[in-house]
Amino acid sequence: MVGFGPSCALLAALLFGVSTPLAKLLIADLSPWMLAGVLYLGSGLGLAAFRLARRLSGAAARAERGVSGGEWGWLLAAVAAGGVAGPVLLMVGLTGTAASTASLLLNLESVLTALLAWLAFREAADRRLVLGMAAIVAGAVALSWPGEGPGEGVAAVSGGWGALAIAGACLMWALDNNLTRKVSLADPVDIAMIKGLVAGSVNVALALALGDRLPPPALMATAMAVGLLGYGVSLALFVLALRWIGAARTGAYFSTAPFVGALLSLPLFGEPVTVRLLVAAGLMGFGLWLHLTEAHDHEHEHGPLEHDHPHRHDAHHQHDHAGLSLPPLPADGVHSHPHHHTPLRHSHPHYPDAHHGHAH
């Protein structure tokens, strides 16, 4: 049975993968920069409407908490890196790079996400995880490798400054993924909404400054609907996955999105089933199998910890609510409030989540 964290990451990849060929249908009528802005705005405004409806519904107090304190610094840095710098570098890179080369280079995001998670943010890694990551990325590379038409092939991978700009965009998105992991205990809807509103506003403003015009209402609504699902809901699920399984594993699962997009492109654009697609499917399937069958289980020690996140009273949460002014527990037992963890040593299967950031 697939765990909750991997399920969120795979569903996020599915939604984003579906949005890619749909966005391709829209690019004929919108500039890349305006399209990126409208997609982000659609995610931000759509999630803001959902958040408002949830608040007005009078339902029981939500388990999720808002962004607070020092988390704002991490979130704003993530938005600046992934929502502003990343798209700008991508647009700059596309002006001097072949589309086939750009597709190939965009696979760097998952690799850089994992490397930053392992080297800079000290997430645990083992041979099985690294091998699975390599297989998934190899599948993505096979999927986007340029063909042998005029000007294509291996030689097309060289792209000079344009390729460097696209690689820089991937680095910004990888940094965004890891920084977002720092705030993943907060409400994922709030995080995705803030990212969408800020990134969308900035990118639309830049597009207008460069001479673009806002699209007609029907086209605007269509693009925003695609953005809500492919960027908004997908990002909220991505944040949940970050919370449960860490940045490296989430990035690995999410890198299956190009395969989803390629499958949808078959009926949508009448594209043929190719050897390249079959090879990509085999490699990604092997990588996913390695990750989904991962069993990371050893004795580990939890030090004292104070934080606030949605939780049940499980093995890691044995506190009482004496002296706390809290609403009655919901039916599923999930609730959120500041709580303290006392030192604990035990053994069970686990991922590098908020309670398992220990060294190996």
Side-chain angles (χ1 to χ4, degrees):
M1 180 178 177
V2 181
F4 181 72
S7 297
C8 288
L10 289 171
L11 186 53
L14 174 66
L15 289 173
F16 184 75
V18 167
S19 74
T20 302
L22 296 180
K24 185 177 180 180
L25 293 174
L26 299 170
I27 197 69
D29 301 303
L30 294 172
S31 72
W33 219 321
M34 178 61 76
L35 178 57
V38 172
L39 289 171
Y40 275 119
L41 269 184
S43 71
L45 292 174
L47 291 176
F50 170 77
R51 187 175 183 273
L52 179 61
R54 184 176 62 181
R55 174 169 292 185
L56 296 176
S57 67
R62 63 179 185 169
E64 298 286 351
R65 64 166 178 83
V67 181
S68 62
E71 290 178 334
W72 280 106
W74 294 113
L75 179 56
L76 292 177
V79 172
V84 180
V88 169
L89 285 169
L90 177 62
M91 294 304 114
V92 170
L94 288 175
T95 62
T97 310
S100 56
T101 301
S103 297
L104 182 62
L105 288 169
L106 286 174
N107 293 305
L108 283 173
E109 180 186 347
S110 57
V111 178
L112 293 173
T113 295
L115 289 176
L116 282 176
W118 295 333
L119 300 177
F121 293 89
R122 303 300 181 186
E123 272 191 24
D126 55 31
R127 292 179 184 176
R128 189 183 190 88
L129 178 62
V130 173
L131 180 59
M133 178 71 188
I136 292 172
V137 171
V141 169
L143 197 61
S144 57
W145 193 264
E148 295 299 329
E152 296 182 328
V154 177
V157 175
S158 58
W161 60 266
L164 287 176
I166 293 175
C170 291
L171 178 60
M172 290 298 100
W173 289 323
L175 182 60
D176 174 9
N177 294 338
N178 280 277
L179 291 173
T180 301
R181 198 258 167 114
K182 292 286 189 179
V183 299
S184 61
L185 295 185
D187 189 341
V189 173
D190 284 1
I191 293 170
M193 177 191 70
I194 292 167
K195 280 190 169 187
L197 291 175
V198 174
S201 300
V202 169
N203 284 295
V204 167
L206 288 172
L208 293 174
L210 292 172
D212 263 347
R213 294 183 178 179
L214 289 175
L219 182 58
M220 183 93 162
T222 301
M224 291 178 76
V226 172
L228 173 58
L229 293 176
Y231 286 64
V233 178
S234 175
L235 178 54
L237 290 166
F238 189 92
V239 173
L240 279 175
L242 288 173
R243 177 190 295 177
W244 284 92
I245 61 176
R249 289 166 176 81
T250 300
Y253 287 123
F254 194 76
S255 63
T256 59
F259 178 67
V260 174
L263 283 181
L264 183 58
S265 295
L266 297 178
L268 199 58
F269 299 103
E271 296 179 359
V273 177
T274 63
V275 172
R276 179 167 39 184
L277 184 62
L278 296 176
V279 169
L283 288 167
M284 288 185 168
F286 176 62
L288 284 174
W289 175 79
L290 286 173
H291 286 182
L292 292 173
T293 55
E294 176 188 13
H296 188 75
D297 186 348
H298 62 89
E299 190 174 47
H300 54 277
E301 185 170 352
H302 298 269
L305 177 64
E306 185 107 22
H307 60 180
D308 180 358
H309 67 95
H311 62 277
R312 291 185 179 91
H313 288 169
D314 55 18
H316 295 98
H317 301 89
Q318 292 298 317
H319 52 264
D320 60 43
H321 290 171
L324 297 177
S325 178
L326 295 174
L329 288 181
D332 62 1
V334 178
H335 59 292
S336 181
H337 62 86
H339 56 276
H340 177 75
H341 292 269
T342 57
L344 173 67
R345 188 174 187 86
H346 61 177
S347 175
H348 64 93
H350 58 278
Y351 289 108
D353 57 21
H355 300 98
H356 299 93
H358 51 263
H360 290 75

